[in-house]
Amino acid sequence: DQLPAHVLVLFGATGDLAARKLFPGLYRLAAAGRMPEEYAVIGSGRHSPGTDAEFRDQLREALAESVDDLDDEVADDLLARVRFQTSDADDGADLAAAVRDAEDRLGGDDVRRLVYLSVPPAAMEPMIAMLGREGLTDRARVVVEKPFGLDLESSRSLDAALKDVVAEEQVFRIDHFLGKEAVQNILALRFANGLFEPAWDRRSIASVQIDVPETLAMEGRGSFYESTGCLRDMVSTHLSQLLGFIALEEPAELTAQAVRDAKSAVFEAVRPLDASRAVYGQYDGYRDEDDVDADSDVETFVALEMYVDNERWRGVPFYLRTGKALAETRRTITLRFREAAGSLFGDPAALAAQPPNDLVLELTDDVQVRVDVRAKRPGPDLALVEGSFHLALADDVPAEVSDPLEAYERLLLDVMRGDQTFFTRSDEVDRLWQVVQPLLDERPPVHPYEQGSWGPQAALDLAEGGWRLR
Ligand code: BG6
């Protein structure tokens, strides 16, 4: 379907996210013919990047870095629609004039506004108030970047500021993990097959691991990390959202309301965290990073245990782990099955000594699912050997029927289509802050860990039966 004409206003347009994800995302949507026929992009921020021509040159460089085989024609067309207008929370008059001017050129009052707020948490509220004052929220969809506040109180205040100027239907709280192909595929695997769902509960599953180690360290994001930390950057956002999709009941229909109701019900049932079952770490050398305090206590690693106290999951630990400067970059969800109840191959304790029976979802760009099983060792005796089923979706689905988009561009497209299914609703955010608040009130001690390791020792011991990745 043809999208209506759009004016996109990107705050933080000279920042890292804009350069690495947002402009490349717009480019790829344009290259795939998925942008509206008529649109304009207005970058904004407090500091001007120079003339519009200079801004476009910087963007072209950013595109060249992120996009292989940049198509000059597509890039030229995109950049020709881009300009920059300075603004700040106290003064948005010039920006408002620029938006109206772009709209007049595109067709007046039917033009949609997409306002993307890629700004630090502290700047968010004043910016939102400015948008309201300048009337920029009319006909607008407002995209808000995580972490949606810094604790329960500030998140409620941010939410109130949003609700002062827009309705919930206009708010798109972006968590780009929900734009990942593999995450959306969890819904297909679970609810379009008869195989998995009957085993998807506490009767069959002993524990779940949601493991997102990263090798990268700060890469210039020291000041962001100092104010955010790993819990807010990754756990109360990305990892909790993954848990939501793993744990939810089947939504009544594929609508934003039904999917978000189902996910929200999971978060309602999540038990607030127990600081004694959480391990914080900080990699050696973090304090020497640019813009990091010499005696910073900020965590760059978190491992913790979560429980979903409902009929399906009662008593099943969900282990969440993520951190910077670790041994590998992976996004791996492991559902570990309980031991078989029978004794044909020895009692459960003897079986437990075998490699585990795991269902593993690798959330890579090419969706991969793997089930590790015990099979019969070829030969005259009925002995066991490790085996596995392995599904590599990219190998199985012919290119003509696949239409891959990366997370950010998929979500940008959803905003333009007005589809909130894969965006976080205000009640989810509120509940997740309630869940993590105990760790903000009583910070677990921060253990040092070596770069390139799997984090502090205390975290290795947290997961019963051990982490799958190690
Ligand atoms: C971002 C976090 O939201 O997600 C980063 O701020 C993290 O700290 C990144 O590295 C991971 O995203 P992806 O898509 O590379 O897995």
Side-chain angles (χ1 to χ4, degrees):
D1 296 353
Q2 195 53 48
L3 293 165
H6 266 76
V7 173
L8 291 80
V9 182
L10 304 187
F11 290 96
T14 53
D16 183 58
L17 186 75
R20 284 190 310 114
K21 300 288 184 189
L22 302 182
F23 280 103
L26 293 176
Y27 167 87
R28 277 190 285 260
L29 285 175
R34 289 181 175 278
M35 286 302 285
E37 207 162 299
E38 304 262 31
Y39 69 97
V41 184
I42 302 178
S44 195
R46 276 197 310 199
H47 305 291
S48 159
T51 62
D52 279 342
E54 284 164 338
F55 182 45
R56 291 185 189 129
D57 286 344
Q58 292 159 24
L59 292 176
R60 186 182 294 277
E61 266 175 49
L63 288 180
E65 260 182 49
S66 297
V67 181
D68 303 332
D69 313 325
L70 192 73
D71 180 329
D72 283 331
E73 222 172 286
V74 176
D76 288 345
D77 180 74
L78 167 63
L79 294 175
R81 300 168 191 253
V82 178
R83 51 165 302 197
F84 192 90
Q85 176 60 57
T86 48
S87 68
D88 65 35
D90 299 324
D91 187 3
D94 290 344
L95 177 63
V99 170
R100 298 211 168 88
D101 182 48
E103 284 172 349
D104 287 344
R105 277 184 288 113
L106 295 177
D109 288 348
D110 299 332
V111 182
R112 271 263 168 212
R113 292 174 184 164
L114 187 163
V115 179
Y116 199 115
L117 287 169
S118 169
V119 297
M124 202 66 97
E125 267 184 57
M127 293 299 265
I128 291 166
M130 180 276 277
L131 292 172
R133 272 197 317 275
E134 296 295 344
L136 285 173
T137 45
D138 306 340
R139 285 176 285 121
R141 296 187 176 125
V142 179
V143 185
V144 186
E145 267 287 337
K146 66 172 184 59
F148 320 126
L150 288 170
D151 55 18
L152 185 57
E153 201 187 327
S154 59
S155 130
R156 285 186 175 165
S157 151
L158 171 61
D159 205 51
L162 276 167
K163 294 205 161 120
D164 273 348
V165 298
V166 282
E168 179 68 21
E169 294 68 47
Q170 291 174 274
V171 183
F172 290 71
R173 293 177 197 79
I174 201 163
D175 183 309
H176 80 278
F177 268 48
L178 299 193
K180 288 183 190 282
E181 189 67 42
V183 176
Q184 300 189 3
N185 195 44
I186 294 171
L187 292 180
L189 274 184
R190 286 189 58 191
F191 302 120
N193 295 292
L195 177 61
F196 301 109
E197 213 36 32
W200 209 268
D201 64 17
R202 66 188 157 81
R203 278 170 286 274
S204 304
I205 307 289
S207 65
V208 179
Q209 300 183 5
I210 299 178
D211 207 0
V212 185
E214 295 181 289
T215 53
L216 94 177
M218 278 311 110
E219 324 240 324
R221 296 167 82 228
S223 82
F224 167 73
Y225 236 70
E226 283 287 282
S227 63
T228 310
C230 183
L231 182 80
R232 297 181 178 101
D233 182 36
M234 300 293 290
V235 181
S236 57
T237 48
H238 301 324
L239 274 68
S240 297
Q241 289 294 328
L242 295 181
L243 178 140
F245 275 95
I246 290 294
L248 54 69
E249 299 300 318
E250 182 168 10
E253 50 186 7
L254 256 182
T255 58
Q257 161 127 10
V259 171
R260 300 198 298 175
D261 282 350
K263 186 149 54 75
S264 174
V266 172
F267 299 145
E268 281 304 321
V270 169
R271 197 187 298 169
L273 296 175
D274 172 356
S276 74
R277 298 295 293 157
V279 178
Y280 277 10
Q282 186 188 81
Y283 64 82
D284 297 339
Y286 172 71
R287 293 172 181 188
D288 304 327
E289 298 274 13
D290 291 346
D291 307 319
V292 169
D293 222 50
D295 51 10
S296 171
D297 195 30
V298 165
E299 80 286 358
T300 62
F301 172 99
V302 176
L304 52 79
E305 185 182 65
M306 259 194 193
Y307 284 96
V308 182
D309 288 329
N310 62 13
E311 177 56 23
R312 186 185 284 265
W313 296 111
R314 189 162 287 119
V316 177
F318 285 75
Y319 300 113
L320 277 54
R321 177 172 75 168
T322 183
K324 305 293 184 207
L326 294 175
E328 284 180 41
T329 295
R330 297 277 287 275
R331 300 175 207 101
T332 305
I333 299 179
T334 304
L335 290 95
R336 182 153 292 171
F337 287 93
R338 293 192 185 284
E339 291 308 334
S343 55
L344 188 62
F345 290 96
D347 61 22
L351 273 179
Q354 298 272 339
N357 179 199
D358 284 348
L359 169 64
V360 187
L361 309 174
E362 293 286 358
L363 309 180
T364 48
D365 292 337
D366 307 335
V367 177
Q368 305 209 24
V369 184
R370 178 188 171 100
V371 185
D372 283 355
V373 294
R374 292 116 182 202
K376 183 195 163 298
R377 186 166 70 197
D381 300 322
L382 239 174
L384 298 177
V385 70
E386 284 173 65
S388 71
F389 306 103
H390 191 190
L391 167 75
L393 213 51
D395 299 345
D396 292 356
V397 180
E400 347 34 297
V401 300
S402 82
D403 181 11
L405 287 178
E406 284 192 16
Y408 267 102
E409 59 224 42
R410 169 188 307 259
L411 293 174
L412 282 169
L413 181 63
D414 282 349
V415 180
M416 291 188 280
R417 297 197 289 208
D419 183 347
Q420 292 180 303
T421 307
F422 295 106
F423 294 82
T424 312
R425 209 167 54 188
S426 115
D427 55 323
E428 298 175 48
V429 173
D430 194 86
R431 177 63 193 165
L432 287 170
W433 281 118
Q434 293 175 39
V435 167
V436 302
Q437 190 64 41
L439 299 198
L440 302 175
D441 295 339
E442 184 198 341
R443 278 191 99 228
V446 180
H447 303 271
Y449 63 93
E450 242 175 79
Q451 294 196 24
S453 72
W454 285 104
Q457 180 64 38
L460 300 183
D461 303 336
L462 185 79
E464 203 186 319
W467 294 93
R468 178 180 174 89
L469 303 181
R470 61 200 149 93

